[in-house]
Amino acid sequence: MGGFNNLFHTFSLLTRTQRNSLRSISSSSSSRSFCTDNGADGLQNSRVKIFDRDLKRKQRDRATWLMGQTQNDSFVDAVVENVLDRLEDCKKLFPTTLCLGGSILPIRRLLRGRGGIEKLIMMDTSYDMVKLCKDAELDDAHNEKIETSFIVGDEEFLPVKENSLDLVISCLGLHWTNDLPGAMIQSRLALKPDGLFLGAILGGETLKELRIACTVAQMEREGGISPRISPLAQVRDAGNLLTRTGFTLPGVDVDEYVVKYESALELIEHLRTMGETNALVQRNKLLKRETALATAAIYESMFGAEDGSVPATYQVIYMTGWKEHESQPRAKRRGSATVSFHDIKKQFGNT
């Protein structure tokens, strides 16, 4: 595993010009360390490997080809719009921005000048995905004004200098990391003081219909179950995650999207196009044909609509956090209040 880790500590830019541009963007001093070099915050590699990151990279490569055969994904676009809408609620501008893997192409396409971004760094573990994003033709005058760099890199080993970014965006990508807190700590270290982190991950209620259908089918056909859908974070854990990783003014909200498909097989094709298929280390690599057909039949019988379509639920957890700065509002010290609620109730009564 040592060679695997060393591989992702390195990163490549698509051109020498972009390499020089990244150095000027991400570092104002050669003595500044990378986010992965700082152990003061307890940042460590996750010893438990839940996901096969190399397999996930290959799935992203396949998704790149499939994206080229389809139109824009309305579900992904809706999630990206919700993330980017948060920039319109901020008076602050974010000149230097890093976009982590997941939905980098829709983010670049739908950015439309929001956030006052001047320098944009697009990063993904898949070289093919980065190239697709780079070669995409965008009919937007705002994007032409943004200096954009493209990096092949890993969220678990962020190749960015500390205190070099104003904004980090991660849309539908971090839920595949083995060390989610560690990846978010690195994002915080990369931010300048008063920098903003915007994240969107799939929540635990995602694909609940498919989970049920898979479980029933495996019990019937194989007499037991094996993990087919990856474990995902719960909403109650997201706020604690932001606080644990050192972000201030944490904000968490959740949306549920129900997407209708013609069949369960079309759902699987959509997951492949998004690069969201199974990448568990301890997965069963063989899916029997009869189990797959039984899953599709059970799915349609239990959840199918009258029009013949089948629904799939996607729960998306949105996270907002800031890097600490002296200008940010802070809670007063416990016990420093000068007026009690008893006095307020006495003054204003029960109204």
Side-chain angles (χ1 to χ4, degrees):
M1 295 300 292
F4 178 78
N5 289 339
N6 291 334
L7 172 64
F8 281 108
H9 269 295
T10 62
F11 63 94
S12 60
L13 295 182
L14 300 184
T15 65
R16 184 179 299 275
T17 302
Q18 289 166 348
R19 182 182 292 111
N20 294 333
S21 173
L22 176 64
R23 288 172 180 169
S24 63
I25 291 172
S26 61
S27 175
S28 60
S29 170
S30 60
S31 62
R32 191 180 300 167
S33 61
F34 280 92
C35 301
T36 51
D37 298 332
N38 194 326
D41 292 71
L43 178 61
Q44 298 178 350
N45 291 342
S46 174
R47 294 183 179 180
V48 179
K49 300 299 181 183
I50 302 173
F51 303 113
D52 185 337
R53 296 289 291 172
D54 187 49
L55 174 61
K56 179 51 59 179
R57 176 185 57 78
K58 293 176 182 178
Q59 291 175 351
R60 299 283 295 163
D61 289 341
R62 179 180 62 185
T64 303
W65 183 83
L66 293 173
M67 284 181 184
Q69 313 300 314
T70 59
Q71 300 293 328
N72 296 334
D73 190 321
S74 58
F75 162 66
V76 175
D77 285 357
V79 175
V80 169
E81 284 285 5
N82 272 343
V83 171
L84 296 179
D85 278 347
R86 285 155 172 76
L87 296 177
E88 299 183 7
D89 298 331
C90 301
K91 296 181 180 179
K92 180 181 172 65
L93 300 180
F94 306 95
T96 306
T97 298
L98 171 66
C99 178
L100 299 178
S103 305
I104 59 174
L105 180 57
I107 286 178
R108 189 183 179 208
R109 173 167 49 84
L110 298 173
L111 189 57
R112 294 195 290 267
R114 285 179 279 197
I117 297 172
E118 300 173 0
K119 298 178 181 179
L120 179 62
I121 306 170
M122 312 297 291
M123 191 187 89
D124 198 284
T125 57
S126 166
Y127 171 85
D128 292 344
M129 187 65 71
V130 171
K131 190 175 185 301
L132 176 67
C133 185
K134 180 178 182 294
D135 295 341
E137 296 181 2
L138 303 177
D139 300 327
D140 189 351
H142 293 292
N143 285 311
E144 295 178 359
K145 301 177 182 178
I146 300 176
E147 179 184 340
T148 307
S149 301
F150 301 88
I151 303 175
V152 178
D154 195 311
E155 298 97 329
E156 294 188 353
F157 306 99
L158 204 59
V160 180
K161 298 288 187 178
E162 291 185 27
N163 301 308
S164 60
L165 304 171
D166 300 291
L167 171 66
V168 173
I169 302 175
S170 176
C171 186
L172 300 180
L174 283 179
H175 52 270
W176 288 112
T177 57
N178 287 305
D179 184 10
L180 179 55
M184 292 180 63
I185 289 174
Q186 291 182 64
S187 296
R188 178 178 59 81
L189 292 174
L191 288 169
K192 299 175 184 177
D194 205 30
L196 175 62
F197 170 81
L198 292 177
I201 60 175
L202 294 178
E205 294 297 310
T206 297
L207 300 179
K208 57 186 178 182
E209 301 91 350
L210 183 59
R211 293 175 191 269
I212 295 172
C214 280
T215 301
V216 174
Q218 285 186 300
M219 289 294 294
E220 287 184 354
R221 302 293 176 172
E222 302 176 18
I225 61 174
S226 61
R228 292 290 176 185
I229 301 177
S230 66
L232 296 169
Q234 300 296 324
V235 177
R236 61 179 178 271
D237 300 324
N240 294 334
L241 182 62
L242 286 167
T243 304
R244 174 185 171 188
T245 52
F247 287 102
T248 60
L249 307 177
V252 176
D253 57 287
V254 61
D255 275 339
E256 282 196 358
Y257 303 83
V258 178
V259 181
K260 291 187 176 182
Y261 299 92
E262 292 183 2
S263 66
L265 298 180
E266 186 184 22
L267 163 62
I268 301 303
E269 287 301 316
H270 185 207
L271 294 176
R272 288 177 176 173
T273 304
M274 293 192 295
E276 293 290 339
T277 45
N278 190 5
L280 290 169
V281 171
Q282 297 182 349
R283 68 191 181 281
N284 186 343
K285 298 181 181 180
L286 178 64
L287 176 61
K288 295 181 179 180
R289 176 180 175 82
E290 61 178 11
T291 303
L293 294 176
T295 300
I298 292 171
Y299 197 121
E300 293 175 8
S301 65
M302 293 183 66
F303 305 104
E306 293 182 358
D307 60 0
S309 64
V310 293
T313 301
Y314 296 89
Q315 183 186 55
V316 181
I317 302 173
Y318 298 94
M319 298 182 292
T320 304
W322 296 82
K323 188 168 183 179
E324 187 175 5
H325 188 264
E326 59 183 9
S327 66
Q328 296 171 355
R330 301 182 183 181
K332 293 290 186 180
R333 180 177 55 84
R334 183 183 295 273
S336 62
T338 57
V339 178
S340 68
F341 281 104
H342 178 75
D343 294 337
I344 295 176
K345 182 178 179 180
K346 186 176 181 180
Q347 180 176 356
F348 294 99
N350 295 323
T351 58

